[in-house]
Amino acid sequence: MTTPEQNLWVSVIAQQFTDAVRQKTDNDVLLARNWLESNTTDFKTVCYLAGLNPEWVIREWKMIKSGEKNISRWKKS
């Protein structure tokens, strides 16, 4: 079971996925893509607060970026 706080941080990650897959390559898109590939302390902290393994999130992004996986899991409704 997840907490409301974890759900909030999962939403932060989901927004990064949503921004990163947009076709228009503006600053928000580039920042989102860089963040998802960064493995920085900030990235790891957000993953930890979301209850997610940072390496798993990076793998998810790489599979979405390569077309191996659909973004639907991360799309905000």
Side-chain angles (χ1 to χ4, degrees), residues 6-55:
Q6 284 176 308
N7 291 336
L8 171 69
W9 290 108
V10 168
S11 291
V12 169
I13 296 170
Q15 184 62 53
Q16 295 301 307
F17 276 98
T18 300
D19 289 349
V21 297
R22 289 194 343 232
Q23 295 300 317
K24 184 178 177 185
T25 313
D26 61 18
N27 197 43
D28 289 341
V29 172
L30 296 175
L31 287 172
R33 290 175 184 172
N34 288 335
W35 188 79
L36 287 166
E37 296 172 1
S38 69
N39 207 21
T40 61
T41 301
D42 175 62
F43 174 80
K44 290 176 186 177
T45 300
V46 171
C47 290
Y48 170 77
L49 292 170
L52 301 173
N53 182 313
E55 287 80 24

Side-chain angles (χ1 to χ4, degrees), residues 53-70:
N53 182 313
E55 287 80 24
W56 179 80
V57 175
I58 290 170
R59 279 194 309 272
E60 284 281 297
W61 167 240
K62 286 181 179 178
M63 291 191 329
I64 290 167
K65 186 170 83 169
S66 71
E68 294 175 54
K69 194 170 219 176
N70 191 303

